[in-house]
Amino acid sequence: MENQRREQQPDKITVENLRVFYKDFEALKGITIGIKANRVTALIGPSGCGKSTFLRTLNRMNDLIEGVRVTGSIKLDGEDIYAPTCDVVDLRKRVGMVFQRPNPFPKSIFENVVYGPRRYGIKNRVQLMEICERSLKQAALWDEVKDRLHHSALGLSGGQQQRLCIARALAVQPEVLLMDEPASALDPISTAKIEDLIADLKKDYTIVIVTHNMQQAGRVSDYTAFFLAGELIEYGETATIFERPSDPRTEDYITGRFG
Amino acid sequence: MDIRTRRQLMDLSGRVLAALGALAIFGAIFLLFGFLAREVAPLLRPASAEQALRVEQDARLAKILAESVAAGVDEYLEQAFLLQRDGTFHLLDLSMGDPLTTVDSTERPPLWAGGAKASVARYDPLAGRIVVGMEDGRALPVDIQQRAAFIEGRRTVELLATVGDAVRLEPHGRSLVHIDWAAGQNREVAAGISEEGRLVVLIREETRSLFGGGQRSEHAHDLTPLLSGRATALALAPDGLTLAVGDDGGLLYQWDLANASSPRLIGKIVANGPEAGRVAEEAGRGSFAVTALAYLIGGRSLVVADAGGGVTTWFTVPVEGHGQLLQPVHRHQGHVAAVVHVAPSQRNRNFATADAAGVVKLHHSTSEQTFFSLETGAGSLGGLVMAPKNDALLLVKEGSVELWSVSNPHPEVSWKTLFGKVHYEGYPRPAYVWQSTGGSNAFEPKLSLIPLAFGTLKGTFYALIFALPLGVLGALYTSQFASKRLQQIVKPVVEVMAGLPSVVLGFLAGLWLAPLIARIFPAVVLMAVSIPLALIACAWVWRRLPGPLRERFPAGVEALLLMPLLGLVVLGSLQLGPVLESLAMRGDFRFWLFDVFGWTYDQRNSLIIGIAMGFAVIPVVFSISEDALSSVPQELVAGSLALGVTRWQTVTGVVVPTALPGIVSSVMIGIGRAVGETMIVLMATGNTPVMDFNIFNGFRALSANIAVEMPEAPVGGTLYRVLFVAALLLFLFTFFLNTLGELVRAQMRKRVERL
């Protein structure tokens, strides 16, 4: 029953034959994958397999690195995000990102959360306050920081900082949320909080998460994609991948024989 | 030795070396500061005086002193002389330090024969002359010279006296009680007050004709009818052109003697009291009789002392409706009793005053300081003389002669003369002026540091106007927008710029840029408008270009595309400059600037400094700003961009605020560089210490001033120490700015490290 409902989910992002080159090095070798809307997709694989590169192609953060070349197509709701007509700034509004290490701006908590909306031109303080409260609540941080919204964000703990970064990403109301090992720099309690949060968020957002942690992938994701040396080895429902991987390399990785 | 102890040893020695280095730097800074302070300190030391010698012998000395009409002392304080009423000199040997060795030169014949008695004498050490007034109304000038000589192998001081022609000053043969004598160009003037209160002047003029034949004429005048009261004091200006007279009603009379046949009374001025300085016709009279008048060195400042103990310095100042009138300019600490003697210095604007109660005070006219007040014992002094080197005061008392040694090396300097407005001789009103040296001793040094500090700030301001936008925005562009390759070109080039010796910049600015800009000034004005306009127009056009065309140029190349266009704008401005000058500036921009704005145009002006010193400051500002901007963590930039924020918004929203302390510190250090910069301001300004903020005028900076005046300043002299004050000021200023910049930077580092 549950499986059937999942099958019906449409693809939010369709990737076809995606190749990424860093100068002469081919980091991704023809990836084709469809990412389901309102689901959590985990990208796993050993270090250097290209999963982070893949994640960053989805909101074109790779553009910032000099010498990167991308071929193939990535469509968000059917629109090619690498087309010349596509505005990168608009794309990133729709596809938010949370980084591996918490990176709050050296500003107050409030200013961090409303950073995006403010720059889209929202000046009304009441409106900004609403956005701030809503985002912090979504990121399960509101109760912890509501009394010190105007204190420096740098005074928060690592886990709180990461949830603040998630709140900051949510404040601009993206459709897709990319998470690059969001809990790898955190302690187990903070990690658990982030994982709970991810489970809550998938109601409203399509989430793609890179993780090194197999248990985490198993706990939070609906779909899992296994990358190895720039290739997508296997992609499917998380339960299937973890229980009955079709490729022996997947099984080797999941059971911890390498990586 | 095992590896562990060796490592520990290395570690220890490294730490000790580093600590020593740090301490050495601190030490050097404090030593420098200490040295500067040590050179400045003597300026603040108060002047002092102490009794060095007292000659007090017997009844015979008392009698000699009672008969003395004038006294003097030589340059090396070896010999004092006393002129007697009968025309003989008595010499006192001061060098032995033994008060009993009074030399009585009986072999020297009296200065005049016939037994005539002197009733008054006035010694003018500057002119080397004693003028003697006789009981029969004659005036006799005697040239006096004291010089070292070797007589029989022994060094002694010789007193040479040459008696001039006597003139009959008082026509009725009455005794003179006050007298003065001046020898100006082609004229000799004698003025006196007789015992009856008659004021008489005698002017002897020699007019030379073209063919060498001289013609002498003598004019005697009795000025008594013009007086409102009884004349009590008088003084002739050294050039013999002005006579100042004081009366018992507290009035000061200013006579112009330029026309020998008819002296002109220029004004009767109230000498003291609440109305001092106003003309008698409007304000009545003063509170106290004028008791002593004396001109200071230079012959412009007149010391006026009165029976109420007041001491003021006067010189002519333009007064509405009255022309050049003597006015009280400097007020000095007064006496309690009536002032009886004024003794001017032969070197500077010091003068000593003595009152009827025997109190002696030492003043300085320009700085208005009174250095000390000596209680020399009860009773009025018979004479007061300042030694030629200002290092002693000779006091002639009733029964003794005293020599007080004086230490007062820097009388011209006070807080007020360094940092305040001072009314100098010949100036209509108080002003901030720097003019440290003049042609002669008679020059009044003007040591205000304000015009120099103003010059430094002006230069810094114009340099920053040029350097700050270029430096900071250049750093912003290079670190945030330029391609890697462009960055790799720009940064080393700017570093080369930093290495450019400032003397080269100054040389180029002063000898090439200044004449060039003076030649193409209208074109420069055009460029100031056309370049920004062209840039904005380009940016606008660039935004309108279709995307694909823009994408053809890799990021960072836009800047290079601008270059030929800017070249075209510059060329166009150069072509249009002369046209602008002939059409809008009436053919000559200098006249036009003066006509329209009232501005003068110096070839070496602040605009040149702005550009040249800007060149020196840009690398400092650029490098530090660039470092600060580049060290903003990439994660923050990525975090901002990932929120769908544009590149520019990211720069203004995250990068600049995070790097702001670094940028501020770059500005501080840039200001420090501009403040301390010497060669450029020395070579490319006119070094005129004027206080005028106009960009087309020059200035003189503190640093350049030190360089300019160094050869003029003898070690240990006042100018030498004042230059050290300027150095200390500069040092404190740059030290303060650099420290502030460094503190801000440290704060920034802390903030970035916390991320």
Side-chain angles (χ1 to χ4, degrees):
Chain A
M1 173 73 191
E2 168 118 4
N3 273 358
Q4 272 176 356
R5 203 172 60 77
R6 267 184 202 167
E7 296 303 326
Q8 287 157 6
Q9 279 298 322
D11 285 350
K12 181 76 180 172
I13 301 172
T14 343
V15 180
E16 268 172 53
N17 199 23
L18 176 74
R19 288 169 191 277
V20 176
F21 301 88
Y22 292 114
K23 303 236 165 77
D24 299 329
F25 172 71
E26 191 173 12
L28 290 179
K29 303 169 180 168
I31 308 293
T32 301
I33 191 172
I35 289 173
K36 302 275 182 228
N38 291 77
R39 289 290 173 268
V40 179
T41 305
L43 309 181
I44 60 170
S47 298
C49 66
K51 56 193 188 302
S52 284
T53 301
F54 174 72
L55 190 77
R56 283 203 299 269
T57 57
L58 298 182
N59 67 345
R60 289 184 59 175
M61 287 302 277
N62 276 335
D63 292 12
L64 302 181
I65 300 163
E66 262 184 75
V68 169
R69 199 153 48 81
V70 177
T71 64
S73 84
I74 300 178
K75 289 193 170 122
L76 177 65
D77 289 338
E79 284 171 51
D80 189 350
I81 65 170
Y82 277 89
T85 50
C86 173
D87 186 340
V88 185
V89 173
D90 278 342
L91 168 73
R92 291 182 188 145
K93 254 187 236 180
R94 295 172 64 192
V95 184
M97 188 161 193
V98 176
F99 296 81
Q100 184 172 356
R101 279 181 47 197
N103 59 349
F105 303 133
K107 297 171 186 286
S108 70
I109 295 169
F110 174 77
E111 283 302 328
N112 261 281
V113 178
V114 303
Y115 180 86
R118 228 188 231 292
R119 270 146 198 89
Y120 304 155
I122 299 175
K123 291 201 176 73
N124 185 320
R125 204 161 166 83
V126 178
Q127 211 178 338
L128 286 174
M129 203 37 150
E130 281 168 14
I131 292 172
C132 176
E133 184 174 345
R134 191 197 67 223
S135 310
L136 285 170
K137 277 180 174 160
Q138 273 186 309
L141 191 59
W142 175 251
D143 292 333
E144 291 163 58
V145 300
K146 65 182 174 201
D147 298 326
R148 46 175 175 147
L149 289 178
H150 295 288
H151 290 218
S152 171
L154 303 178
L156 297 175
S157 74
Q160 287 173 324
Q161 285 188 2
Q162 191 62 303
R163 277 179 286 148
L164 177 67
C165 291
I166 294 172
R168 187 174 70 188
L170 297 178
V172 307
Q173 295 186 291
E175 298 159 29
V176 180
L177 198 56
L178 309 176
M179 297 178 139
D180 191 354
E181 301 185 48
S184 68
L186 305 181
D187 61 284
I189 295 171
S190 301
T191 304
K193 281 188 179 164
I194 301 270
E195 285 177 10
D196 291 346
L197 183 58
I198 291 169
D200 286 345
L201 290 175
K202 74 177 177 191
K203 293 196 299 290
D204 304 310
Y205 304 94
T206 303
I207 295 174
V208 185
I209 176 168
V210 168
T211 180
H212 264 119
N213 183 328
M214 289 311 112
Q215 285 88 6
Q216 189 174 63
R219 281 194 301 270
V220 302
S221 68
D222 305 302
Y223 293 87
T224 297
F226 174 57
F227 283 74
L228 187 62
E231 284 176 78
L232 178 63
I233 304 298
E234 198 168 346
Y235 174 54
E237 284 187 35
T238 301
T240 320
I241 297 271
F242 275 75
E243 281 154 28
R244 299 182 303 280
S246 53
D247 193 294
R249 289 172 293 183
T250 315
E251 189 173 359
D252 286 352
Y253 181 72
I254 287 169
T255 52
R257 275 189 214 150
F258 72 92
Chain B
M1 202 189 302
D2 71 25
I3 189 108
R4 222 175 108 200
T5 32
R6 220 162 74 192
R7 246 165 53 182
Q8 278 172 345
L9 212 67
M10 293 278 279
D11 188 52
L12 187 72
S13 57
R15 266 192 304 183
V16 166
L17 266 178
L20 277 181
L23 280 179
I25 288 172
F26 271 112
I29 290 176
F30 281 109
L31 270 180
L32 187 67
F33 187 79
F35 179 75
L36 287 176
R38 207 194 67 160
E39 292 299 323
V40 166
L43 290 178
L44 306 172
R45 207 168 289 152
S48 65
E50 57 178 1
Q51 194 183 46
L53 194 67
R54 180 177 165 88
V55 183
E56 183 183 33
Q57 208 176 13
D58 45 21
R60 199 175 64 90
L61 181 67
K63 194 169 153 272
I64 291 170
L65 294 174
E67 283 288 304
S68 293
V69 284
V73 64
D74 78 313
E75 194 177 352
Y76 302 105
L77 307 179
E78 290 176 48
Q79 184 192 64
F81 67 82
L82 296 163
L83 177 62
Q84 304 289 287
R85 286 165 49 111
D86 60 5
T88 56
F89 278 109
H90 281 278
L91 304 179
L92 296 165
D93 188 350
L94 305 172
S95 62
M96 303 302 282
D98 179 358
L100 295 174
T101 56
T102 309
V103 181
D104 189 352
S105 63
T106 42
E107 65 268 26
R108 183 188 284 276
L111 292 177
W112 54 86
K117 291 263 182 188
S119 56
V120 66
R122 185 171 187 146
Y123 177 36
D124 178 357
L126 265 171
R129 181 194 324 108
I130 298 178
V131 55
V132 183
M134 298 296 197
E135 284 180 339
D136 58 10
R138 283 182 304 154
L140 182 72
V142 181
D143 286 339
I144 290 284
Q145 201 186 351
Q146 281 176 298
R147 65 171 195 204
F150 286 88
I151 298 170
E152 291 163 12
R154 216 177 117 247
R155 185 176 185 280
T156 51
V157 176
E158 224 180 349
L159 178 71
L160 304 175
T162 318
V163 182
D165 294 340
V167 294
R168 178 155 295 280
L169 185 57
E170 217 290 338
H172 310 293
R174 308 303 291 259
S175 174
L176 292 164
V177 291
H178 292 284
I179 192 156
D180 203 356
W181 183 281
Q185 212 171 10
N186 299 334
R187 62 159 51 196
E188 285 180 304
V189 183
I193 301 170
S194 76
E195 57 186 346
E196 298 173 302
R198 193 173 288 280
L199 175 63
V200 283
V201 180
L202 190 102
I203 306 169
R204 192 189 279 164
E205 241 181 353
E206 191 168 354
T207 44
R208 279 176 196 280
S209 75
L210 204 59
F211 307 103
Q215 201 184 353
R216 294 184 72 159
S217 59
E218 215 171 78
H219 304 270
H221 301 283
D222 186 344
L223 303 174
T224 324
L226 293 165
L227 297 173
S228 313
R230 189 187 166 96
T232 50
L234 85 170
L236 277 167
D239 56 10
L241 294 175
T242 304
L243 169 67
V245 176
D247 76 3
D248 58 355
L251 290 180
L252 187 68
Y253 301 77
Q254 178 187 356
W255 260 287
D256 177 9
L257 304 181
N259 186 342
S261 55
S262 63
R264 191 163 66 91
L265 179 62
I266 292 181
K268 278 199 272 187
I269 309 135
V270 176
N272 45 42
E275 302 284 353
R278 298 190 55 193
V279 291
E281 289 80 11
E282 295 167 6
R285 41 186 286 171
S287 313
F288 301 102
V290 175
T291 51
L293 293 173
Y295 274 98
L296 295 181
I297 189 169
R300 300 184 81 154
S301 287
L302 176 72
V303 179
V304 177
D306 61 46
V311 180
T312 43
T313 315
W314 297 53
F315 49 81
T316 55
V317 172
V319 175
E320 188 86 39
H322 297 283
Q324 293 282 337
L325 211 58
L326 278 170
Q327 288 291 298
V329 176
H330 303 300
R331 278 159 216 286
H332 306 279
Q333 196 189 90
H335 290 261
V336 177
V339 176
V340 290
H341 293 290
V342 174
S345 153
Q346 302 171 43
R347 301 206 141 193
N348 56 25
R349 277 163 180 73
N350 271 359
F351 60 95
T353 52
D355 68 16
V359 174
V360 175
K361 290 180 189 239
L362 182 68
H363 315 268
H364 188 266
S365 116
T366 316
S367 68
E368 297 183 358
Q369 296 182 99
T370 297
F371 302 103
F372 48 70
S373 185
L374 305 174
E375 307 275 348
T376 65
S380 180
L381 292 171
L384 173 68
V385 178
M386 266 188 96
K389 283 177 161 178
N390 281 0
D391 52 355
L393 286 169
L394 184 74
L395 274 52
V396 180
K397 297 166 77 172
E398 264 172 36
S400 63
V401 175
E402 288 175 9
L403 191 70
W404 289 66
S405 68
V406 172
S407 161
N408 184 24
H410 308 294
E412 305 91 337
V413 175
S414 67
W415 280 110
K416 199 181 161 204
T417 53
L418 288 183
F419 300 106
K421 273 192 177 174
V422 176
H423 198 158
Y424 299 103
E425 289 176 5
Y427 281 69
R429 64 190 66 83
Y432 298 113
V433 184
W434 172 272
Q435 199 181 349
S436 61
T437 42
S440 69
N441 265 356
F443 176 78
E444 185 178 31
K446 303 167 184 70
L447 299 175
S448 177
L449 292 175
I450 298 295
L452 308 178
F454 178 87
T456 290
L457 292 180
K458 181 182 175 187
T460 305
F461 174 79
Y462 283 115
L464 290 184
I465 279 196
F466 187 77
L468 279 196
L470 279 179
V472 173
L473 293 178
L476 195 64
Y477 177 80
T478 310
S479 68
Q480 300 300 316
F481 297 97
S483 65
K484 274 261 151 22
R485 260 188 50 213
L486 195 61
Q487 275 182 28
Q488 279 160 5
I489 297 167
V490 170
K491 281 162 84 172
V493 166
V494 173
E495 253 130 60
V496 167
M497 222 168 117
L500 210 60
S502 63
V503 66
V504 175
L505 281 175
F507 190 67
L508 277 175
L511 281 115
W512 172 75
L513 187 65
L516 178 75
I517 289 194
R519 211 166 54 239
I520 60 161
F521 180 77
V524 173
V525 172
L526 265 184
M527 280 182 225
V529 180
S530 60
I531 291 178
L533 281 182
L535 288 180
I536 291 168
C538 277
W540 188 80
V541 169
W542 185 256
R543 293 295 302 174
R544 297 290 146 135
L545 282 184
L549 189 63
R550 267 195 282 166
E551 309 261 308
R552 295 247 306 267
F553 302 102
V557 173
E558 313 91 290
L560 296 178
L561 287 177
L562 265 178
M563 294 297 162
L565 188 109
L566 281 183
L568 277 179
V569 171
V570 168
L571 276 180
S573 298
L574 283 177
Q575 291 298 315
L576 285 175
V579 179
L580 180 77
E581 184 167 19
S582 65
L583 288 183
M585 298 181 178
R586 302 176 211 158
D588 189 308
F589 75 89
R590 287 166 200 260
F591 289 133
W592 180 76
L593 272 181
F594 190 75
D595 276 1
V596 178
F597 302 102
W599 295 347
T600 52
Y601 184 91
D602 298 343
Q603 193 195 60
R604 295 184 185 175
N605 58 41
S606 308
L607 177 70
I608 309 295
I609 286 303
I611 296 171
M613 199 144 84
F615 252 79
V617 173
I618 284 173
V620 178
V621 175
F622 178 91
S623 299
I624 300 174
S625 290
E626 214 274 342
D627 275 359
L629 288 164
S630 305
S631 68
V632 171
Q634 209 46 46
E635 300 144 54
L636 291 186
V637 177
S640 172
L641 289 174
L643 289 168
V645 163
T646 62
R647 185 83 221 194
W648 179 247
Q649 285 177 326
T650 300
V651 167
T652 55
V654 170
V655 178
V656 171
T658 309
L660 196 61
I663 295 172
V664 170
S665 96
S666 83
V667 173
M668 293 289 180
I669 292 169
I671 295 175
R673 171 80 209 263
V675 165
E677 178 53 55
T678 308
M679 284 322 284
I680 297 175
V681 287
L682 180 68
M683 297 170 88
T685 67
N687 284 317
T688 40
V690 292
M691 304 239 310
D692 179 354
F693 210 70
N694 191 337
I695 188 171
F696 301 123
N697 288 158
F699 57 87
R700 183 189 281 201
L702 279 168
S703 54
N705 183 62
I706 295 172
V708 168
E709 307 245 345
M710 204 168 61
E712 315 276 340
V715 174
T718 300
L719 178 57
Y720 171 86
R721 301 209 187 280
V722 170
L723 290 185
F724 270 102
V725 175
L728 190 64
L729 215 66
L730 263 182
F731 176 72
L732 287 178
F733 208 45
T734 45
F735 184 78
F736 173 76
L737 284 171
N738 281 328
T739 308
L740 197 69
E742 207 45 54
L743 284 178
V744 172
R745 194 144 65 144
Q747 195 64 29
M748 172 200 76
R749 275 211 206 97
K750 234 190 276 171
R751 252 171 71 172
V752 173
E753 271 162 17
R754 274 171 62 190
L755 297 182

